[in-house]
């Protein structure tokens, strides 16, 4: 079954990643040619209604649990907040990538995210 239609918000890196303790070594510097990025992909799939979204959350919980991932429920935002009443789910895969489906913090839109955390690499990952 193909994924529901949606829009890819983009692949981003966290410009503030260098200032976070988890993304710094003891001295806060790297050797020449080493860069740091926070690879994150965020997608907002379109769901027909709240029931379809909740079914997707339940499916991900089941699939991720079946793969041996530790799954955490994300509580629904409170009444009056964006995404009120829509619970979410998150897990971390065996490579340390955090996966989640939850309402967006600012707009409440269902958001599927894969966050790779802080990654050090030589040079640029791709040429522009």
């Amino acid at each position: 079954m193909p994924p529901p239609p949606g829009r890819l918000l983009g692949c981003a890196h966290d410009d503030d990643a260098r200032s976070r303790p988890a993304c710094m070594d003891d001295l806060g510097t790297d050797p020449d040619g080493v860069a740091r990025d926070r690879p994150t992909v965020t997608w907002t799939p379109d769901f027909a209604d709240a029931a379809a979204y909740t079914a997707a959350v339940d499916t991900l919980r089941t699939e991720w649990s079946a793969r041996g991932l530790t799954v955490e429920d994300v509580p629904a935002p409170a009444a009056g907040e964006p995404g009120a009443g829509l619970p979410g789910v998150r897990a971390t895969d065996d490579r340390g990538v955090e996966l989640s489906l939850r309402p967006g913090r600012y707009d409440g839109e269902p958001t599927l995210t894969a966050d790779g955390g802080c990654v050090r690499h030589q040079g640029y990952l791709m040429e522009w």
Side-chain angles (χ1 to χ4, degrees):
M1 169 186 273
R7 61 187 187 280
L8 181 64
L9 297 180
C11 300
H13 69 280
D14 184 356
D15 291 327
D16 192 36
R18 293 177 201 269
S19 66
R20 295 179 187 215
C23 209
M24 294 175 59
D25 60 18
D26 296 338
L27 300 174
T29 60
D30 289 316
D32 287 341
V34 174
R36 299 180 195 199
D37 287 301
R38 188 175 187 100
T40 303
V41 176
T42 303
W43 179 54
T44 57
D46 295 326
F47 292 98
D49 53 27
Y53 168 80
T54 302
V57 168
D58 293 340
T59 298
L60 287 174
R61 182 183 301 108
T62 300
E63 289 293 323
W64 291 342
S65 293
R67 293 179 185 193
L69 304 181
T70 301
V71 178
E72 299 175 46
D73 289 324
V74 177
E81 294 182 17
L86 297 176
V89 63
R90 76 171 160 238
T92 302
D93 76 5
D94 56 350
R95 293 187 176 121
V97 175
E98 184 179 301
L99 309 166
S100 67
L101 176 59
R102 58 176 14 148
R105 179 177 303 200
Y106 302 108
D107 62 8
E109 291 294 317
T111 304
L112 184 62
T113 303
D115 182 344
C118 181
V119 177
R120 290 182 175 149
H121 57 88
Q122 281 295 125
Y124 292 98
L125 294 177
M126 61 177 40
E127 296 294 325
W128 295 101

